Amino acid sequence: MPFDPAKIDLADLDRIRDEAQQTMRRLSVAEEELSSVQGVGSGAGGLITVLTDGAGRVTKISLNPRVTRLDSPTLAEELLRAIGTAQDEAARRTQELLENALGGQLPQQTFDPDRIEALLAESDASFAAFINEKTRRMEADGGR
């Protein structure tokens, strides 16, 4: 059923506003938590440890001195495995936070935190414009 703004009454508008405020509060909490999301991965039997941020960017690589005993191809393979594990963990945690914030209504796809932030800002502006227009129309109609 298509959305028809003309059929929204004050009770609907109040409910929409309340739901939007609840969602924005949950997203605000999630945004704070997202800034501290990290993924951890290890390889070569614990000789390699990798940390990534919530966006999957590598923030730290720790190599035990014994890792030099590995040949170059093995070292590269183990390092890539540790990076992938850390990125997967960060993505999983980011997805969990967003699903919780949005009440489990998150599509299954790869997450780009910058894109999500842009979409949230866009949605907030769009919703504010809608509310302002609806309020203006209701005031012009004498509150009906």
Side-chain angles (χ1 to χ4, degrees):
M1 174 181 230
F3 176 71
D4 184 1
K7 293 183 179 180
I8 293 181
D9 62 18
L10 284 176
D12 291 329
L13 197 55
D14 286 341
R15 182 185 49 75
I16 290 168
R17 184 202 61 225
D18 292 345
E19 288 175 7
Q21 287 173 342
Q22 289 173 1
T23 299
M24 294 308 290
R25 279 193 293 273
R26 287 192 310 264
L27 287 171
S28 178
V29 169
E31 184 176 19
E32 290 176 25
E33 292 177 3
L34 284 171
S35 67
S36 64
V37 168
Q38 285 189 325
V40 179
S42 63
L47 298 177
I48 300 170
T49 303
V50 175
L51 294 178
T52 61
D53 63 15
R57 292 181 291 260
V58 175
T59 59
K60 184 175 181 181
I61 297 175
S62 298
L63 302 174
N64 183 299
R66 291 186 299 164
V67 80
T68 58
R69 297 179 184 164
L70 300 175
D71 59 64
S72 292
T74 303
L75 175 59
E77 182 180 311
E78 292 296 321
L79 184 56
L80 288 173
R81 181 176 295 128
I83 291 170
T85 300
Q87 289 172 330
D88 290 347
E89 183 179 315
R92 181 191 55 74
R93 182 67 184 130
T94 298
Q95 182 174 349
E96 286 175 359
L97 286 171
L98 291 172
E99 283 177 348
N100 289 338
L102 296 173
Q105 300 172 0
L106 204 57
Q108 298 298 314
Q109 60 185 7
T110 303
F111 295 99
D112 177 357
D114 295 330
R115 177 74 178 132
I116 290 170
E117 188 173 321
L119 287 172
L120 289 173
E122 207 176 286
S123 295
D124 188 36
S126 176
F127 183 73
F130 167 76
I131 295 296
N132 289 338
E133 177 61 19
K134 187 65 175 174
T135 302
R136 185 192 64 75
R137 286 183 184 174
M138 290 174 70
E139 287 172 352
D141 290 344
R144 288 178 275 151

